[in-house]
């Protein structure tokens, strides 16, 4: 026991030392003796005897230690009846192998304590083959959460209908839809977003995919049939209103470009808000109070004519007289489901950072698919793109920040610089994991406080523009003008650069502790047909970027190297130049 306590205390001291000094690259742990496999097995048995939860937390600490993992698996399976109150034990006996063999251990599941939503969702992935006992447990867990909490994972739940041979997931979805109108509406929009538009000349889909797509309208119909008269009335008003707004795009398509703005205004004047309980589909806590009819703007797009419209909204639980503007983009002919996935990961990271008290900024704006290749995208308030900023000045970010916030060293400039730093660090961690490409200046926004916000996630994980040339080789965008703000010395020795590095390292270390939840969220979408899963090994490579085999200091050093590598990497500047030459997007 004493040896185990010493080892765990030493490991915790090492971890806290890294957290306290994230960019001190020396690894104290490497000078200690290696622990043999036999010793790990002893540690596992001792920990399990004291309290099984200590053994499970050791797996969190040493996720790639196979001796530890196999011994704890053995212990769980031997003492299974004593562990029913500990959800952390589940992964040690609910395994793809146990499912294949229909193991008798799975008979324990009806008596097991509920686990987290992300752990439950992992059991919906294909390796678990929709085993009835496992599915019944997962759905019992989901039932313990309010439906509105579960809506965050709606894309994953809809995908799991692919493997739902016993209709257990469908049963859960229909039940939750009866309990919550918002859950029902979000579910219907996602079901519609998964429907495939009929395109002549396209090859027939695989039978499993065809079965999935033919199931979706039937599930939608069952939800609508289950509505009470009041719920049906609200559903019809909500959907009809936003369908009318979305369909303006089709009306504009034949019009010449110069007449489109007037065309939007004409169409908006025909639409009234039918009732005071309509909400923005991308932000269910915002009630719509009206449309600003002069706000409609047609946008440039490779596909059809997306339009931007500003609504007057009030907070569901706020002051009913506090009306604020909220702009949304309505897209037709564009699949925005991949953006939803990227923004889910960004939202998970934001919650992780908040939970550990890290001052890192991410803005996961709302995106919702509402039909085949249709969707609504929330506009990030009070922002302009780096490209738009370039239209008013020839200077770089440093000059623009001085124009907007005052001279270097003034309180307002330094406050804006700090805002830029905490947001750049947040997006550095998110970008390392998601690998978003196409990071030109049209896709980088700055808000009125100086914070950076990334938008448009059409290329993530393994895919990149230009037939996957992989031109942007840095893990995240850190162009020369960004480094001028983050590193005034230009030599990677300034206090602000070191502070930026510390934030990046801490954000990465915090994210690593929730690796499984993030990977599960992405993995459940693997059969969705999204472009980001079309090549390479996206899930295996996502796991590699977390580096579970590294200890805390090694992971911290990896993140420092990643930041140094991104520092003014030539490929980022080269990509901006290509965008400038091709599309006139400012460098």
């Amino acid at each position: 026991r004493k040896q185990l306590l010493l080892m765990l205390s030493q490991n915790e001291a090492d971890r806290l030392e890294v957290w306290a000094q994230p960019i001190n690259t020396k690894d104290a742990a490497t000078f200690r003796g290696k622990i043999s496999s036999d010793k790990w097995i002893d540690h596992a048995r001792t920990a399990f005897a004291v309290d099984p939860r200590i053994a499970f937390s050791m797996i969190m600490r040493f996720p790639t230690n196979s001796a530890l993992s196999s011994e704890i698996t053995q212990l769980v399976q031997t003492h299974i009846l004593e562990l029913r109150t500990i959800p952390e034990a589940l992964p040690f006996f609910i395994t793809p192998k146990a499912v294949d063999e229909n193991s008798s251990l799975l008979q324990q599941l009806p008596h097991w304590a509920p686990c987290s939503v992300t752990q439950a969702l992992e059991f919906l992935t294909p390796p678990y083959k929709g085993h009835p006992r496992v599915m019944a447990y997962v759905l019992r867990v989901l039932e313990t959460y309010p439906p509105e909490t579960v809506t965050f994972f709606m894309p994953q739940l809809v995908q799991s209908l692919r493997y739902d041979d016993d209709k257990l997931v469908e049963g859960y979805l229909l039940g939750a839809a009866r309990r919550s109108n918002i859950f029902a509406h979000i579910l219907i929009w996602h079901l519609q977003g998964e429907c495939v538009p009929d395109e002549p000349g396209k090859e027939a889909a695989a039978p499993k995919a065809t079965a999935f797509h033919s199931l979706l309208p039937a599930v939608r119909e069952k939800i609508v049939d289950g509505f009470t008269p009041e719920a049906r009335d609200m559903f019809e008003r909500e959907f009809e209103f936003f369908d009318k707004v979305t369909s303006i795009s089709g009306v504009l398509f034949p019009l010449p470009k110069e007449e489109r703005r007037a065309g939007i205004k004409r169409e908006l004047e025909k639409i009234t808000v039918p009732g005071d309980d309509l909400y923005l589909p991308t932000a269910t806590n915002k009630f719509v109070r009206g449309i600003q009819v002069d706000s409609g703007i047609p946008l440039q797009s490779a596909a059809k004519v997306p339009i931007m419209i500003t609504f007057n909204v009030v907070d569901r639980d706020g002051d009913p007289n506090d009306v604020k503007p909220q702009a949304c983009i309505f897209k037709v002919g564009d699949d925005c489901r991949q953006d939803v996935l990227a923004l889910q990961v960004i939202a998970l990271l934001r919650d992780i950072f908040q939970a550990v008290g890290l001052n890192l900024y991410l803005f996961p704006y709302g995106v919702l698919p509402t039909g085949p290749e249709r969707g609504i995208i929330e506009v990030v308030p009070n922002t302009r793109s780096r490209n738009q900023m370039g239209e008013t000045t020839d200077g770089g970010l440093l000059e623009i920040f001085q124009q907007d916030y005052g001279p270097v060293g003034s309180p307002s400039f330094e406050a804006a610089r700090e805002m830029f730093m905490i947001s750049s660090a947040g997006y550095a961690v998110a970008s390392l994991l998601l690998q978003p490409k196409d990071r030109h200046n049209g896709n980088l926004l700055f808000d009125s406080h100086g914070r950076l916000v990334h938008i448009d996630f059409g290329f993530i994980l393994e895919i990149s523009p230009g037939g996957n040339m992989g031109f942007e080789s840095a893990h995240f965008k850190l162009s020369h003008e960004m480094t001028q703000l983050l590193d005034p010395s230009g030599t990677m020795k300034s206090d602000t650069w070191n502070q930026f590095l510390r934030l990046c390292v801490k954000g990465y270390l915090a994210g690593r502790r929730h690796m499984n939840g993030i990977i599960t969220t992405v993995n459940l979408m693997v059969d969705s047909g999204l472009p980001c899963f079309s090549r390479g090994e996206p899930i295996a490579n996502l796991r590699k970027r977390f580096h579970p085999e590294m200890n805390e200091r090694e992971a911290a050093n990896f993140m420092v190297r990643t930041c140094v590598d991104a520092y003014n990497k030539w490929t980022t500047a080269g990509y901006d130049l290509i965008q400038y030459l091709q599309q006139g997007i400012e460098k």
Side-chain angles (χ1 to χ4, degrees), residues 139 161 164 166-176 187 215 218-219 222:
L139 300 171
L161 289 168
D164 187 33
D166 293 334
K167 297 205 174 300
L168 291 168
V169 175
E170 184 184 318
Y172 164 73
L173 292 173
L174 294 173
L187 172 54
L215 171 72
V219 176
K222 286 178 191 171

Side-chain angles (χ1 to χ4, degrees), residues 537-550:
E537 293 187 18
I539 302 299
N541 288 332
L542 171 60
R543 185 179 294 278
K544 278 181 191 165
R545 289 193 291 277
F546 280 103
H547 287 288
E549 78 289 352
M550 291 183 175

Side-chain angles (χ1 to χ4, degrees), residues 366-388:
V367 175
L368 183 74
T370 55
E373 299 194 337
R374 287 177 163 228
I376 305 175
I377 298 174
E378 204 178 295
V379 174
V380 185
N382 306 316
T383 56
R384 48 199 178 135
S385 71
R386 174 65 189 89
N387 188 33
Q388 287 167 324

